[in-house]
């Protein structure tokens, strides 16, 4: 993403957009599902980070996943994306 055109959101805007609690978002940072520099409540969140937070929210909602399970699922999804980027064969399999 181009940082010049990327959106940035505050902690409060993320809370409002997701409808999740302050504690839940702080746990995402603590579990390293979302990386921020400095204090999470004072950080600015990029569009990429917001997309990860929304994905985490959907996984929690759809699968009733707890935070440890969510962290594992997100790491596995990241690995799958990296494998697809590095292997043309795997990217074709994902398109079926």
């Amino acid at each position: 993403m181009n940082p010049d055109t990327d959106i940035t959101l505050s902690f409060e805007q993320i809370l409002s957009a997701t409808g999740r609690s302050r504690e839940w978002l702080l746990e995402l940072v603590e579990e390293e599902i979302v990386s921020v520099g400095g204090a999470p409540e004072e950080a600015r969140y990029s569009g990429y980070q917001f997309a990860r937070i929304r994905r985490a929210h959907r996984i929690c909602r759809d699968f009733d996943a707890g935070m440890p399970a969510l962290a594992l699922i997100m790491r596995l999804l990241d690995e799958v994306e990296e494998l697809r980027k590095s292997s043309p064969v795997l990217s074709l399999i994902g398109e079926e």
Side-chain angles (χ1 to χ4, degrees):
M1 279 190 216
N2 183 343
D4 296 331
T5 59
D6 196 15
I7 63 167
T8 59
L9 299 166
S10 69
F11 187 84
E12 295 301 323
Q13 288 172 316
I14 296 283
L15 291 177
S16 177
T18 61
R20 298 301 301 236
S21 71
R22 177 177 302 280
E23 293 76 24
W24 183 82
L25 187 50
L26 290 172
E27 280 187 79
L28 287 185
V29 174
E30 187 177 304
E31 290 287 335
E32 299 178 357
I33 295 169
V34 177
S35 300
V36 296
E41 294 173 323
E42 297 171 11
R44 299 296 296 176
Y45 295 82
S46 69
Y48 173 77
Q49 290 168 312
F50 181 54
R52 283 187 63 79
I53 292 166
R54 290 184 61 215
R55 185 180 218 181
H57 171 69
R58 285 191 308 272
I59 291 168
C60 282
R61 181 194 64 213
D62 295 348
F63 299 105
D64 197 26
M67 198 56 67
L70 175 62
L72 176 62
I73 292 166
M74 294 293 287
R75 284 187 194 100
L76 291 172
L77 289 171
D78 290 343
E79 286 183 29
V80 168
E81 284 180 27
E82 286 301 313
L83 287 170
R84 284 186 178 156
K85 286 179 189 174
S86 67
S87 174
V89 174
L90 287 177
S91 64
L92 291 175
I93 292 171
E95 294 176 3
E96 291 182 36

